[in-house]
Amino acid sequence: MTPILRTVADLRTLVRGWKAAGEMIGVVPTMGALHDGHLSLARRARGECDRVITTIFVNPRQFNNPEDLKRYPRSEAADATLLASVPVDAIFAPEPEEVYPEGFSTNVSVSGVSEPLEGKMRPGHFDGVATVVSKLFGMTLADRGYFGQKDWQQLQVVQKLVRDLNLAVTIVGCETIREPDGLAMSSRNVRLSAEARGRAPVFFAAISAAARDIRAGQSDRMAIREAAEAMRAAGFERVEYIELRDAESLLPSDDSSRPRRMLAAAWLGGVRLIDNIPV
Ligand code: AMP
């Protein structure tokens, strides 16, 4: 079975040996409750690196909602079994006190790209992400870090963080893995009732249709309004945002010569879902 490390000291002992042997280390940061989306990242790392570490840490600092933190699914034993099938070389699963010991007082904040969309709806979320990702890179001595496009804004925040701080880590953004009906895989999907799960594919279908219509020349506002209406008609209780943005800066963009991304967040059956697609 894959070794599960709980302390930074144990992790460092292991990775220092790998580094001394000149091995390249790939790191896949996760919050556990693993699914095929996470495993696709680990498999990509496996193919590109000598050593692969998957971190499992439900980072309290990136939860702006205490109830969401409490209810976040945890399944370490099952996660370890899935990771053994990849396989990965180590699992780093520290307790919160190991990551944030008494007296911890640093905050990493990436301005600009982390402010709109998720940053606006979830104040403090990206500071929590940027802080923990910086720490995980420092702890694991990562050469390459693997992140999913499912969390597109997070991927842009991490890219900016690495550039701005000259971190010696290459960030690899991986395709979103979806259920056969189009729903993006997410650890939070297990919270959907069977009834809500049946309606959930409308999310991806609606933003896909909007992206297609915009590409075909329809106005952004009209296409987005239709997508929001389709979602409400399917029983989504709240559409938080559907936005067309510059894919990198995440600023509003009507420049179709640059890569653009449609990003959306909505509530269904008490569960908050996010997704995004290129336009
Ligand atoms: P999480 O455990 O939700 O923090 O996700 C850990 C990593 O897995 C992040 O980089 C996510 O973007 C990525 N991820 C989550 N869901 C998917 C998915 N469906 N496809 C690809 N990557 C994903």
Side-chain angles (χ1 to χ4, degrees):
M1 208 57 175
T2 321
I4 301 183
L5 307 170
R6 305 283 175 197
T7 67
V8 179
D10 285 352
L11 177 68
R12 274 293 180 75
T13 304
L14 187 67
V15 294
R16 283 229 171 86
W18 293 343
K19 284 275 181 185
E23 293 180 317
M24 192 204 273
I25 297 173
V27 174
V28 183
T30 81
M31 298 202 298
L34 301 184
H35 49 66
D36 268 344
H38 299 112
L39 296 182
S40 74
L41 269 52
R43 287 191 202 106
R44 173 95 179 256
R46 176 81 284 159
E48 296 178 354
C49 306
D50 302 307
R51 298 290 181 173
V52 179
I53 303 170
T54 297
T55 68
I56 298 179
F57 180 57
V58 183
N59 175 30
R61 288 172 75 105
Q62 73 188 67
F63 283 80
N64 54 314
N65 175 347
E67 192 54 28
D68 188 29
L69 173 60
K70 211 166 78 197
R71 291 175 52 203
Y72 199 83
R74 289 159 214 255
S75 55
E76 190 183 282
D79 292 348
T81 304
L82 289 171
L83 290 170
S85 75
V86 174
V88 304
D89 297 287
I91 297 169
F92 179 52
E95 293 296 330
E97 302 72 47
E98 179 70 8
V99 178
Y100 303 115
E102 186 130 335
F104 181 84
S105 65
T106 296
N107 182 53
V108 182
S109 188
V110 181
S111 63
V113 68
S114 69
E115 288 167 38
L117 309 169
E118 290 301 283
K120 195 154 142 208
M121 301 314 297
R122 305 181 65 192
H125 169 66
F126 285 124
D127 281 15
V129 169
T131 302
V132 83
V133 167
S134 304
K135 285 178 67 75
L136 290 171
F137 287 164
M139 291 165 169
T140 58
L141 307 181
D143 295 295
R144 293 169 78 83
Y146 292 80
F147 293 83
Q149 295 180 0
K150 156 85 181 4
D151 300 281
W152 183 265
Q153 191 176 7
Q154 168 174 282
L155 177 59
Q156 306 316 309
V157 169
V158 171
Q159 298 268 28
K160 189 76 176 29
L161 162 76
V162 164
R163 273 204 307 276
D164 285 357
L165 297 186
N166 306 97
L167 302 182
V169 184
T170 301
I171 302 303
V172 183
C174 306
E175 290 265 325
T176 300
I177 304 299
R178 299 180 179 282
E179 303 287 355
D181 61 17
L183 177 66
M185 290 190 182
S186 164
S187 303
R188 288 185 178 86
N189 290 354
V190 298
R191 286 200 209 146
L192 291 167
S193 67
E195 208 268 325
R197 176 65 189 83
R199 295 160 180 255
V202 172
F203 191 4
F204 182 56
I207 61 171
S208 299
R212 195 185 54 226
D213 291 347
I214 291 168
R215 266 185 248 116
Q218 200 187 10
S219 88
D220 311 353
R221 286 175 62 169
M222 181 77 86
I224 287 171
R225 192 178 325 134
E226 282 173 9
E229 272 163 19
M231 289 169 66
R232 279 189 216 101
F236 281 72
E237 56 263 28
R238 184 167 172 221
V239 178
E240 275 186 2
Y241 63 80
I242 304 177
E243 297 273 348
L244 179 61
R245 297 287 170 123
D246 181 272
E248 195 180 328
S249 70
L250 297 179
L251 292 170
S253 168
D254 49 19
D255 179 358
S256 60
S257 69
R258 275 185 55 80
R260 292 189 296 173
R261 203 91 190 168
M262 180 170 287
L263 303 102
W267 290 82
L268 175 65
V271 180
R272 187 172 186 276
L273 303 175
I274 60 169
D275 205 345
N276 67 85
I277 46 167
V279 174

